């Protein structure tokens, strides 16, 4: 059964303190790994899609990387506005848009 | 441009009642998916509709049903509500169906069952 595990569950950083969030996955054949950001009371907001091991994508202070078993979301010099829950998901490989989500990492960046 | 819109934003029901949630996708998007997000968990797939036809169904009981209209808007119905149905219900739209499609989520409907 496809599974996505995120760690840590929660992370508190000081402004400017870089760190990484982890997403490990177990799928029969990866057909896309997705990172989303979710603010309280809002729906998830798309950040990145990665398809193959070795692929990297960047957006402002965020960089997502992918290996054969896990993905990392690196946050460089975070700001308080980066505080949110970061969700990782994999496509289930079927003929739908079904994503299998992890439980997320709650990031708090203190000024 | 308007994003995915959902209504109502909040809803309180009692056990055994029925509820209908509504979603309008981004203009031009033909696919709508529904997800349930329980507090502290990631979203779980309920349904996907494309061109008014059901394309996928998650592991949810038959009390959950949905449909898509000719204008691509969608409704999610839940019958015989249980306390465990309390959750944030998210609608997501995409242009087409497939692994390359980016999902755009609405802000959700927060359902509380008392």
């Amino acid at each position: 059964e496809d599974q996505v595990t995120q760690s840590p569950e929660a992370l508190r950083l000081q402004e400017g303190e870089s760190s990484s969030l982890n997403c490990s996955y177990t799928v029969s054949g990866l057909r896309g790994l997705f990172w989303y950001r979710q603010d309280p009371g809002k729906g998830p907001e798309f950040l990145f899609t990665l398809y193959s091991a070795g692929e990297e994508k960047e957006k402002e202070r965020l960089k997502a990387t992918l290996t054969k078993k896990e993905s990392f979301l690196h946050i460089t010099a975070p700001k308080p506005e980066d505080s949110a829950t970061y969700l990782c998901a994999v496509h289930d490989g079927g003929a739908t848009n079904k994503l299998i989500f992890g439980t997320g990492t709650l990031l708090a960046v203190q000024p | 441009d308007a994003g995915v819109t959902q209504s109502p934003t909040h809803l309180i029901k009692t056990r055994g009642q029925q509820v209908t949630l509504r979603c309008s996708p981004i203009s031009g998007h033909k696919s709508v998916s529904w997800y349930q997000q329980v507090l502290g968990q990631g979203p779980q797939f309920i349904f996907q509709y494309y061109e008014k036809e059901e394309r996928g169904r998650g592991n949810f009981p038959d009390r959950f049903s949905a449909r898509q209209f000719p204008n691509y808007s969608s409704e999610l119905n839940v019958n015989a509500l249980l306390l465990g149905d309390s959750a944030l219900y998210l609608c997501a739209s995409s242009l087409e169906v497939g692994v390359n499609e980016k999902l755009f989520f609405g802000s959700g409907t927060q359902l509380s069952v008392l």
Side-chain angles (χ1 to χ4, degrees):
Chain A
E1 184 180 328
D2 296 343
Q3 198 166 355
V4 177
T5 303
Q6 293 188 246
S7 62
E9 290 184 3
L11 181 63
R12 182 173 295 180
L13 300 173
Q14 292 295 318
E15 185 171 1
E17 179 187 2
S18 301
S19 188
S20 296
L21 313 183
N22 177 264
C23 170
S24 61
Y25 59 90
T26 306
V27 295
S28 55
L30 183 66
R31 295 187 63 189
L33 185 138
F34 300 77
W35 282 99
Y36 282 84
R37 168 190 170 131
Q38 186 173 26
D39 293 301
K42 298 290 181 71
E45 176 188 349
F46 174 82
L47 293 174
F48 305 108
T49 309
L50 302 167
Y51 292 103
S52 56
E55 190 175 358
E56 299 183 351
K57 288 192 176 173
E58 286 188 67
K59 179 181 178 180
E60 296 180 357
R61 295 176 294 281
L62 301 176
K63 182 168 86 170
T65 62
L66 182 65
T67 72
K68 288 186 178 179
K69 292 187 176 182
E70 58 192 351
S71 177
F72 293 93
L73 185 64
H74 307 277
I75 303 176
T76 302
K79 298 181 178 182
E81 53 262 42
D82 295 321
S83 298
T85 295
Y86 290 86
L87 294 165
C88 172
V90 296
H91 192 278
D92 86 322
T96 70
N97 290 356
K98 178 182 176 181
L99 295 182
I100 300 167
F101 283 87
T103 54
T105 293
L106 176 60
L107 175 66
V109 181
Q110 296 181 316
Chain B
D1 288 341
V4 177
T5 57
Q6 293 187 241
S7 64
T9 55
H10 296 83
L11 206 50
I12 299 175
K13 292 286 187 178
T14 57
R15 282 179 297 174
Q17 285 189 310
Q18 175 264 340
V19 69
T20 298
L21 311 181
R22 296 177 175 81
C23 172
S24 293
I26 293 171
S27 177
H29 284 196
K30 301 176 186 176
S31 177
V32 168
S33 301
W34 287 94
Y35 285 78
Q36 180 196 65
Q37 187 175 25
V38 174
L39 189 64
Q41 301 294 315
Q44 265 200 297
F45 176 80
I46 309 175
F47 285 110
Q48 183 188 6
Y49 277 78
Y50 176 72
E51 291 282 14
K52 303 180 292 297
E53 291 189 0
E54 183 183 302
R55 281 300 193 95
R57 172 185 287 255
N59 189 23
F60 281 81
D62 292 343
R63 299 184 296 107
F64 288 76
S65 63
R67 55 181 174 168
Q68 187 178 32
F69 299 99
N71 66 352
Y72 301 111
S73 67
S74 179
E75 287 183 350
L76 175 69
N77 295 284
V78 186
N79 294 322
L81 285 167
L82 303 174
L83 295 179
D85 295 331
S86 296
L88 179 67
Y89 288 85
L90 295 163
C91 173
S93 77
S94 62
L95 278 167
E96 301 285 343
V97 178
V99 66
N100 294 319
E101 289 299 313
K102 186 188 305 181
L103 296 186
F104 294 85
F105 284 86
S107 292
T109 294
Q110 184 64 58
L111 173 65
S112 299
V113 182
L114 306 179

